[in-house]
Structures are given as structure tokens and as C-alpha cells.
């Protein structure tokens, strides 16, 4: 028989050897820790260090100058010689130091919560439409969220809102086939206010403020987006329940706490 080659043993992986395990006092859920404060007090043996004070170590201070004797009756007999020589020249003005340029708000990096993805059904917590369930479409350049009701279901139009005032639920709608108009951005929602006209001698009464009117362009975009979102809702397996869920308002009853609920 031919001699068999020696089998090489694999060395244990060093990274696998030092794998991080759970901490001793980990969270059991809902903010409840495994051990209490008193239990951890005894486990860490903190009672051994109670009342013990460590004296601060002081470094020896180096003398700033040395006293040297000088000959002569009228010379004062001694001089103070500094160990660190002073500079002979001092500038009259401080140097202008270049400061790092501050990034403006437009240049800030935008972050988005992990549970907020296009198609997530969210609950509004602020504004005139608070309590309504809306569909998250995309995040704009300013960091605000673009949401819609849709308008046909709960009368919530296309609008912007900060992610601070939104609860992201686990209910999601597939918006892969939805194509939003390219003109919907932050500038699209900005209201253009005209400057006040200067008063003239003949004008006695002030002109009335004109109420905000929705433009035809915005109405057309609303219909186009809602049509696509409504078709995506119809393709959902639980479309009947989803339509009732979006049309219903969110509210809390007695003994219901939002931090204990799973949305």
C-alpha cells in the first residue's frame, strides 16, 4: 500500500476563540435588566472599595529659576537665572489661524430610521392630520418624509413631515411599480409669499390677505400618485383589512401605553 499523506490539523480560529458573549447584566426585554442594582453591587464586590481614598500622586515641580551668587559690593550679591530662556522677540499681532469651514444645513448628512422604508404605513403624531395612518413614499433632500393618505381613503394629501413625528408600523405596501413625478421635491412644497405693497396716500384700507389655494399642478400630481398607490394596495393579500386600517384613526384607550405596544 502506498503511504498516506499526514493529515494537517486546522488551527482554531482566533476570532472564534474570543467571540463576544452577552454581558452579565443584559436586558431581558421591556427595559428590565437581569440583575438588580443591589445584586450587581455584591457581584462586582463594590463594598471592598467603599470608604477607601487613594492619595493623589503629585509630580515634583521643576524650579523656574536658579539663584547664583555674584561678586562685587554693589551688584546685589545674587541673581535669578531662569532655566527656560524667554523669547527676545514678540509679534505685535496674533497670527490669523484658518478655522475649519462649518457645514451648512444643506450639506448635513441625512439619516433615516431602519424601520422606515418606502411603502411603510406610518402614524402621524403632529399637524392637522395627526392620528391618521399614511403611506411613506420617500425621503426628500431636506431629510423630511414624503407621505400620502392616499387622499381618497383618509383625506391626507401629499405632504412633508419630520420622522420625529411619525411611528413606523410593521405593515408595508409594495411600491416597486410606483413612479413618483420628478418635480416633487422640497421646492415643490415651498409657498411663495409676495412682498407687501407700500402704502400710498389714497389707500386707506389694507388689502385683505389672500387664502391659500391648491394649484392645478398639485391636484394633478395628487391624483397620479394616489392612483398608483391605490393599485399597489389592491394587490396586497389583505387589501380589505388594509383599506379599513388606513381609513381608521389611531387612538389610545385607558391602560394602553405606546412604549409597550408593537406597531
Amino acid at each position: 500500500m502506498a503511504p498516506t499523506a499526514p493529515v494537517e490539523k486546522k488551527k482554531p480560529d482566533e476570532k472564534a476563540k474570543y467571540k463576544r458573549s452577552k454581558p452579565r447584566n443584559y436586558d431581558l426585554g421591556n427595559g428590565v435588566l437581569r440583575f438588580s442594582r443591589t445584586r450587581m453591587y455584591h457581584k462586582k464586590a463594590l463594598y471592598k472599595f467603599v470608604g477607601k481614598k487613594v492619595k493623589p500622586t503629585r509630580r515634583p515641580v521643576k524650579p523656574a529659576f536658579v539663584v547664583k551668587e555674584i561678586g562685587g559690593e554693589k551688584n546685589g550679591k545674587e541673581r535669578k537665572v531662569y532655566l527656560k530662556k524667554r523669547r527676545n522677540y514678540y509679534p505685535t499681532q496674533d497670527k490669523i489661524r484658518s478655522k475649519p469651514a462649518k457645514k451648512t444645513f444643506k450639506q448635513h448628512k441625512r439619516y433615516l430610521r431602519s424601520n422606515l422604508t418606502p411603502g411603510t404605513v406610518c402614524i402621524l403624531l403632529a399637524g392637522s392630520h395627526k392620528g391618521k395612518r399614511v403611506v411613506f413614499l420617500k425621503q426628500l433632500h431636506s431629510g423630511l418624509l414624503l407621505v400620502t393618505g392616499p387622499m381618497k381613503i383618509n383625506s391626507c394629501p401629499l405632504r412633508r413631515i419630520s420622522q420625529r413625528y411619525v411611528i413606523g408600523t410593521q405593515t408595508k405596501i409594495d411600491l416597486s411599480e410606483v413612479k413618483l413625478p420628478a418635480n416633487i421635491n422640497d421646492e415643490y412644497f415651498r409657498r411663495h409669499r409676495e412682498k407687501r405693497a407700500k402704502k400710498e396716500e389714497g389707500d386707506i384700507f389694507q388689502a385683505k390677505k389672500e387664502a391659500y389655494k391648491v394649484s392645478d399642478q398639485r391636484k394633478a400630481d395628487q391624483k397620479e400618485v394616489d392612483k398608483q398607490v391605490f393599485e399597489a394596495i389592491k394587490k396586497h393579500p389583505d387589501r380589505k383589512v388594509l383599506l379599513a386600517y388606513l381609513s381608521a384613526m389611531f387612538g389610545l384607550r385607558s391602560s394602553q401605553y405606546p412604549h409597550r405596544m408593537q406597531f
Side-chain angles (χ1 to χ4, degrees):
M1 291 178 71
T4 56
V7 180
E8 294 183 359
K9 290 183 178 180
K10 290 183 178 180
K11 292 182 180 179
D13 191 9
E14 291 184 1
K15 289 184 179 179
K17 190 178 178 182
Y18 299 103
K19 266 188 176 180
R20 288 185 179 179
S21 58
K22 278 186 177 180
R24 184 190 290 180
N25 197 15
Y26 56 85
D27 191 354
L28 296 172
N30 296 328
V32 180
L33 295 175
R34 186 184 172 200
F35 298 115
S36 62
R37 281 187 180 181
T38 51
R39 187 70 176 158
M40 289 301 296
Y41 178 81
H42 291 286
K43 278 189 171 291
K44 290 182 178 180
L46 297 175
Y47 53 84
K48 293 182 180 179
F49 304 98
V50 175
K52 288 189 176 182
K53 292 183 179 179
V54 181
K55 292 182 179 179
T57 54
R58 294 182 179 178
R59 294 180 181 179
V61 181
K62 293 181 180 179
F65 55 85
V66 179
V67 179
K68 289 188 177 182
E69 294 182 0
I70 294 174
E73 296 178 0
K74 298 180 181 180
N75 289 332
K77 295 182 181 180
E78 60 182 29
R79 289 280 191 280
K80 290 181 180 179
V81 180
Y82 286 92
L83 296 174
K84 191 176 180 180
K85 289 185 178 180
R86 295 181 178 178
R87 292 167 63 183
N88 293 329
Y89 168 74
Y90 288 93
T92 55
Q93 292 181 345
D94 294 331
K95 287 183 179 179
I96 299 170
R97 296 180 182 178
S98 59
K99 294 180 181 179
K102 290 184 179 179
K103 287 186 176 180
T104 57
F105 180 73
K106 292 179 181 178
Q107 296 172 322
H108 289 180
K109 193 176 180 181
R110 310 299 176 196
Y111 294 96
L112 189 65
R113 294 208 304 265
S114 57
N115 65 333
L116 293 176
T117 54
T120 304
V121 176
C122 303
I123 300 168
L124 302 183
L125 301 176
S128 57
H129 298 279
K130 61 184 174 184
K132 291 183 181 180
R133 295 179 173 92
V134 294
V135 182
F136 168 51
L137 299 175
K138 69 172 183 177
Q139 188 182 28
L140 300 172
H141 179 69
S142 62
L144 299 174
L145 309 181
L146 178 66
V147 297
T148 185
M151 186 83 172
K152 190 178 179 181
I153 298 172
N154 54 20
S155 303
C156 184
L158 281 166
R159 61 188 292 106
R160 298 178 298 170
I161 191 165
S162 174
Q163 58 183 324
R164 292 182 180 182
Y165 309 115
V166 155
I167 296 175
T169 64
Q170 295 177 1
T171 309
K172 294 192 178 182
I173 302 164
D174 185 18
L175 299 181
S176 56
E177 296 180 4
V178 176
K179 293 181 180 179
L180 298 172
N183 62 332
I184 297 178
N185 50 23
D186 291 301
E187 192 65 29
Y188 180 81
F189 292 95
R190 192 167 292 166
R191 291 190 185 182
H192 300 283
R193 296 178 181 176
E194 296 180 358
K195 292 183 178 179
R196 289 182 182 178
K198 290 183 178 180
K199 289 183 180 180
E200 295 181 4
E201 292 180 2
D203 296 337
I204 302 171
F205 303 102
Q206 291 183 351
K208 291 182 179 179
K209 292 181 180 178
E210 292 182 4
Y212 172 72
K213 292 181 181 179
V214 183
S215 62
D216 296 333
Q217 175 67 34
R218 193 155 177 178
K219 287 178 182 178
D221 293 336
Q222 183 73 53
K223 286 180 181 178
E224 185 184 345
V225 173
D226 281 3
K227 186 181 178 182
Q228 295 181 60
V229 174
F230 202 74
E231 287 176 1
I233 292 169
K234 283 183 178 178
K235 292 178 183 178
H236 198 273
D238 300 326
R239 56 184 173 275
K240 288 184 179 179
V241 179
L242 188 58
L243 286 168
Y245 180 70
L246 287 169
S247 60
M249 294 282 285
F250 172 74
L252 294 172
R253 296 180 183 177
S254 61
S255 70
Q256 286 185 340
Y257 306 101
H259 62 279
R260 293 184 182 176
M261 297 171 73
Q262 286 187 352
F263 296 94

